[in-house]
Amino acid sequence: MISNQILQTTIEGLKGITRIDLCICDIEGKVLASTIPEAEAYESSILAFVDSPADSQVIQGYQFFKVFDEHQLEYILLAKGGSDDVYMVGKLAVFQIQNLLVAYKERFDKDNFIKNLLLDNLLLVDIYNRAKKLHIETNIRRVVYIIETKHEKDTNALETVRTLFATKTKDFITAVDEKNIILVKELKLNEGYADLDKTANMILDMLNTEAMTKVHVAYGTIVNEIKDVSRSYKEAKMALDVGKIFYSDKNVVAYGNLGIGRLIYQLPIPLCKMFIKEIFDGKSPDEFDDETLATINKFFENSLNVSETSRQLYIHRNTLVYRLDKLQKGTGLDLRVFEDAITFKIALMVVKYMKYMENVDY
């Protein structure tokens, strides 16, 4: 709601220009701002006008107007006089008040504040001043979740998330683009990362069943100050991107579990190309045949254990050794040696990253 002082200043300014008296009342007939001394006497007429279907009406020598805020009746405006000029001034006053409502909400609305907070659009002093005006606690544990939907503007998914967390008044649900729903969640003192993972999986399950929507959920680290919420958001955003590259089989990704993928994601592409060229002499590891790649991946899955890998691949141990020897001759890397295995693993991840970035650029 706009303060009565702002409303009073507005109609006094309009009267100074037009010389027409104006009055603003709420929908219960209470006078909020007025240049008309006897405005209280019209309470019954205002209540009758509220219930009428008309948007404007002349009653007892006054022009009555309805002022809406996004189709919701917010105020009743009275303009003294029944002439066409008074009607025009009344319509201009309605237009001015409706614009004030928009401007006021943009300035003080919580959703707008949270969006600007996430996007780092606020100075540090503004964060705390506006949080205070909006009655948002500043020193409280929070984390940011990003829920990426398959389709743009997925209203079913958004409503489902709102239903899940609507009763928790200190949680905020918003969006800064077409495909991502953002949840800024308040945490209790005893809640840790295991609880965050449970919440992420709960969101995933609810959206799969209730909204029939396939989603990916990512979350950042826990922050203790409102000024750090944007950091948790950036972490969640990175987790979402890194998850698509290196953990495509996972629907829930935590920033704290990204491991080496987080480092590779921040490498410049020219450096990645140089690394692959130096290690494989220009040959990319993804050019190996399917059998070789399957052997490599299974060997890594089993922590470089030859016996277990051969068992799971249904091949003789000597066959696996032969494949590893062949790979060593072709690349100079022996996957049975820990240092070589690490180099090869990183190389595979670097190639995945480069391919992803090429597709994004395209």
Side-chain angles (χ1 to χ4, degrees), residues 299-328:
F299 194 52
F300 284 140
E301 281 177 28
N302 289 291
S303 303
L304 315 185
N305 187 308
V306 174
S307 298
E308 186 59 27
T309 303
S310 59
R311 188 185 70 80
Q312 290 189 22
L313 287 172
Y314 302 104
I315 60 175
H316 194 274
R317 178 189 172 94
N318 290 344
T319 305
L320 177 59
V321 171
Y322 169 76
R323 289 182 186 178
L324 294 174
D325 287 340
K326 185 181 175 183
L327 187 65
Q328 183 182 2

Side-chain angles (χ1 to χ4, degrees), residues 146-154 157 174-182 213-216 240 244:
I146 297 181
I147 302 139
E148 184 186 64
T149 58
K150 190 176 181 180
H151 305 289
E152 292 187 0
K153 295 183 179 179
D154 194 329
T174 187
V176 295
D177 55 37
E178 300 294 339
K179 289 188 75 172
N180 294 333
I181 300 165
I182 299 164
T213 304
K214 294 285 184 182
V215 299
H216 289 91
L240 197 63
K244 288 176 188 174

Side-chain angles (χ1 to χ4, degrees), residues 214-268:
K214 294 285 184 182
V215 299
H216 289 91
V217 182
Y219 58 91
T221 55
I222 297 169
V223 296
N224 297 306
E225 286 272 346
I226 196 165
K227 66 180 175 64
D228 296 323
V229 165
S230 63
R231 190 188 78 213
S232 187
Y233 168 67
K234 288 171 188 171
E235 291 169 348
K237 204 167 183 304
M238 181 184 283
L240 197 63
D241 290 338
V242 174
K244 288 176 188 174
I245 304 170
F246 304 117
Y247 314 106
S248 55
D249 57 326
K250 293 183 179 180
N251 291 319
V252 173
V253 185
Y255 176 80
N257 296 334
L258 294 179
I260 199 167
R262 190 171 82 203
L263 295 176
I264 293 171
Y265 181 73
Q266 296 177 82
L267 292 175

Side-chain angles (χ1 to χ4, degrees), residues 10 28 115 144 147 157 159 195 251 272 314 317 331 333 341 344 349:
T10 301
E28 294 175 355
K115 283 179 183 177
V144 176
I147 302 139
E159 287 308 312
D195 299 294
N251 291 319
C272 293
Y314 302 104
R317 178 189 172 94
T331 64
L333 296 172
F344 204 97
M349 294 179 76

Side-chain angles (χ1 to χ4, degrees), residues 113-162:
F113 169 70
I114 293 297
K115 283 179 183 177
N116 284 310
L117 179 67
L118 293 169
L119 297 172
D120 268 337
N121 289 340
L122 298 170
L123 296 172
L124 188 61
V125 65
D126 291 334
I127 291 173
Y128 286 93
N129 286 341
R130 290 186 64 180
K132 186 178 179 182
K133 286 179 182 177
L134 293 166
H135 307 292
I136 297 173
E137 291 186 58
T138 55
N139 300 321
I140 199 166
R141 298 173 82 237
R142 292 184 174 94
V143 70
V144 176
Y145 288 88
I146 297 181
I147 302 139
E148 184 186 64
T149 58
K150 190 176 181 180
H151 305 289
E152 292 187 0
K153 295 183 179 179
D154 194 329
T155 53
N156 287 338
L158 183 60
E159 287 308 312
T160 302
V161 175
R162 280 183 174 151

Side-chain angles (χ1 to χ4, degrees), residues 67-101:
V67 182
F68 293 92
D69 179 19
E70 294 183 349
H71 308 294
Q72 177 74 33
L73 183 59
E74 193 72 42
Y75 302 117
I76 302 298
L77 174 77
L78 278 66
K80 191 174 183 179
S83 68
D84 288 343
D85 287 343
V86 174
Y87 177 81
M88 183 180 68
V89 171
K91 293 296 282 184
L92 286 170
V94 168
F95 179 75
Q96 176 69 11
I97 295 164
Q98 285 174 333
N99 281 335
L100 277 173
L101 283 166

